[in-house]
mmCIF file of all heavy atoms in Angstrom:
data_model
loop_
_atom_site.group_PDB
_atom_site.id
_atom_site.type_symbol
_atom_site.label_atom_id
_atom_site.label_comp_id
_atom_site.label_asym_id
_atom_site.label_seq_id
_atom_site.Cartn_x
_atom_site.Cartn_y
_atom_site.Cartn_z
ATOM 1 N N ARG I 69 4.649 -2.317 36.523
ATOM 2 C CA ARG I 69 3.837 -1.490 37.496
ATOM 3 C C ARG I 69 2.827 -2.365 38.170
ATOM 4 O O ARG I 69 2.618 -2.260 39.420
ATOM 5 C CB ARG I 69 3.201 -0.335 36.757
ATOM 6 C CG ARG I 69 4.159 0.617 36.112
ATOM 7 C CD ARG I 69 4.491 1.740 37.058
ATOM 8 N NE ARG I 69 5.797 2.307 36.664
ATOM 9 C CZ ARG I 69 6.305 3.476 37.176
ATOM 10 N NH1 ARG I 69 5.613 4.046 38.117
ATOM 11 N NH2 ARG I 69 7.459 3.903 36.800
ATOM 12 N N VAL I 252 6.603 -5.958 9.884
ATOM 13 C CA VAL I 252 6.887 -5.094 11.076
ATOM 14 C C VAL I 252 7.818 -3.977 10.686
ATOM 15 O O VAL I 252 8.854 -4.167 10.114
ATOM 16 C CB VAL I 252 7.554 -5.923 12.213
ATOM 17 C CG1 VAL I 252 7.956 -5.025 13.340
ATOM 18 C CG2 VAL I 252 6.610 -7.027 12.709
ATOM 19 N N LEU I 258 8.839 1.950 17.675
ATOM 20 C CA LEU I 258 9.700 2.655 18.699
ATOM 21 C C LEU I 258 9.185 4.078 18.930
ATOM 22 O O LEU I 258 9.148 4.496 20.054
ATOM 23 C CB LEU I 258 11.138 2.693 18.177
ATOM 24 C CG LEU I 258 11.900 1.363 18.216
ATOM 25 C CD1 LEU I 258 13.233 1.477 17.473
ATOM 26 C CD2 LEU I 258 12.127 0.829 19.623
ATOM 27 N N HIS I 261 5.922 3.982 20.949
ATOM 28 C CA HIS I 261 6.170 3.531 22.288
ATOM 29 C C HIS I 261 6.633 4.657 23.206
ATOM 30 O O HIS I 261 6.365 4.648 24.427
ATOM 31 C CB HIS I 261 7.165 2.406 22.289
ATOM 32 C CG HIS I 261 7.559 1.904 23.619
ATOM 33 N ND1 HIS I 261 8.789 2.197 24.189
ATOM 34 C CD2 HIS I 261 6.865 1.201 24.579
ATOM 35 C CE1 HIS I 261 8.787 1.739 25.458
ATOM 36 N NE2 HIS I 261 7.625 1.154 25.674
ATOM 37 N N THR I 262 7.345 5.693 22.640
ATOM 38 C CA THR I 262 7.792 6.793 23.518
ATOM 39 C C THR I 262 6.626 7.455 24.227
ATOM 40 O O THR I 262 6.709 7.892 25.361
ATOM 41 C CB THR I 262 8.584 7.817 22.706
ATOM 42 O OG1 THR I 262 7.823 8.265 21.612
ATOM 43 C CG2 THR I 262 9.904 7.258 22.157
ATOM 44 N N GLN I 269 1.828 4.629 32.658
ATOM 45 C CA GLN I 269 1.946 4.940 34.081
ATOM 46 C C GLN I 269 0.688 5.572 34.643
ATOM 47 O O GLN I 269 0.291 5.271 35.744
ATOM 48 C CB GLN I 269 3.167 5.810 34.312
ATOM 49 C CG GLN I 269 4.469 5.112 33.961
ATOM 50 C CD GLN I 269 5.695 5.935 34.341
ATOM 51 O OE1 GLN I 269 5.599 6.929 35.068
ATOM 52 N NE2 GLN I 269 6.833 5.502 33.922
ATOM 53 N N TYR T 19 10.704 14.890 29.758
ATOM 54 C CA TYR T 19 10.624 13.658 29.029
ATOM 55 C C TYR T 19 10.551 13.962 27.540
ATOM 56 O O TYR T 19 11.261 13.309 26.743
ATOM 57 C CB TYR T 19 9.404 12.895 29.520
ATOM 58 C CG TYR T 19 9.235 11.575 28.816
ATOM 59 C CD1 TYR T 19 9.964 10.451 29.186
ATOM 60 C CD2 TYR T 19 8.290 11.419 27.778
ATOM 61 C CE1 TYR T 19 9.782 9.241 28.536
ATOM 62 C CE2 TYR T 19 8.091 10.206 27.132
ATOM 63 C CZ TYR T 19 8.845 9.123 27.521
ATOM 64 O OH TYR T 19 8.657 7.949 26.872
ATOM 65 N N TYR T 49 16.730 -9.450 11.869
ATOM 66 C CA TYR T 49 15.892 -8.267 12.077
ATOM 67 C C TYR T 49 14.763 -8.482 13.102
ATOM 68 O O TYR T 49 14.556 -7.659 13.986
ATOM 69 C CB TYR T 49 15.259 -7.829 10.735
ATOM 70 C CG TYR T 49 14.208 -6.767 10.836
ATOM 71 C CD1 TYR T 49 14.569 -5.450 11.095
ATOM 72 C CD2 TYR T 49 12.845 -7.095 10.716
ATOM 73 C CE1 TYR T 49 13.582 -4.475 11.151
ATOM 74 C CE2 TYR T 49 11.904 -6.123 10.889
ATOM 75 C CZ TYR T 49 12.204 -4.785 11.052
ATOM 76 O OH TYR T 49 11.239 -3.861 11.196
ATOM 77 N N ILE T 54 12.668 -7.139 18.535
ATOM 78 C CA ILE T 54 12.148 -7.435 19.900
ATOM 79 C C ILE T 54 13.088 -6.863 20.992
ATOM 80 O O ILE T 54 12.680 -6.266 21.902
ATOM 81 C CB ILE T 54 11.911 -8.928 20.087
ATOM 82 C CG1 ILE T 54 10.768 -9.393 19.199
ATOM 83 C CG2 ILE T 54 11.574 -9.240 21.520
ATOM 84 C CD1 ILE T 54 10.638 -10.856 19.005
ATOM 85 N N GLN T 60 14.169 -0.411 24.834
ATOM 86 C CA GLN T 60 13.658 1.001 24.944
ATOM 87 C C GLN T 60 12.640 1.079 26.108
ATOM 88 O O GLN T 60 12.606 2.107 26.785
ATOM 89 C CB GLN T 60 12.984 1.364 23.645
ATOM 90 C CG GLN T 60 12.442 2.776 23.633
ATOM 91 C CD GLN T 60 11.832 3.269 22.340
ATOM 92 O OE1 GLN T 60 12.592 3.441 21.391
ATOM 93 N NE2 GLN T 60 10.545 3.517 22.310
ATOM 94 N N GLU T 65 11.300 3.574 30.919
ATOM 95 C CA GLU T 65 10.641 3.443 32.162
ATOM 96 C C GLU T 65 11.576 3.925 33.364
ATOM 97 O O GLU T 65 11.179 4.592 34.277
ATOM 98 C CB GLU T 65 10.170 2.034 32.485
ATOM 99 C CG GLU T 65 9.070 2.012 33.530
ATOM 100 C CD GLU T 65 9.130 0.851 34.425
ATOM 101 O OE1 GLU T 65 9.921 -0.050 34.199
ATOM 102 O OE2 GLU T 65 8.379 0.811 35.464
ATOM 103 N N THR T 68 11.702 7.724 33.240
ATOM 104 C CA THR T 68 10.507 8.405 33.821
ATOM 105 C C THR T 68 10.514 8.235 35.369
ATOM 106 O O THR T 68 10.138 9.138 36.092
ATOM 107 C CB THR T 68 9.250 7.852 33.265
ATOM 108 O OG1 THR T 68 9.155 6.406 33.346
ATOM 109 C CG2 THR T 68 9.061 8.211 31.828
ATOM 110 N N THR T 69 10.876 7.051 35.869
ATOM 111 C CA THR T 69 10.942 6.765 37.295
ATOM 112 C C THR T 69 11.971 7.764 37.911
ATOM 113 O O THR T 69 11.701 8.388 38.966
ATOM 114 C CB THR T 69 11.314 5.321 37.608
ATOM 115 O OG1 THR T 69 10.474 4.473 36.841
ATOM 116 C CG2 THR T 69 11.128 5.029 39.086
#
Side-chain angles (χ1 to χ4, degrees):
Chain I
R69 297 267 156 172
V252 175
L258 289 169
H261 177 254
T262 54
Q269 294 191 9
Chain T
Y19 180 80
Y49 169 76
I54 293 168
Q60 180 176 295
E65 201 218 353
T68 53
T69 309

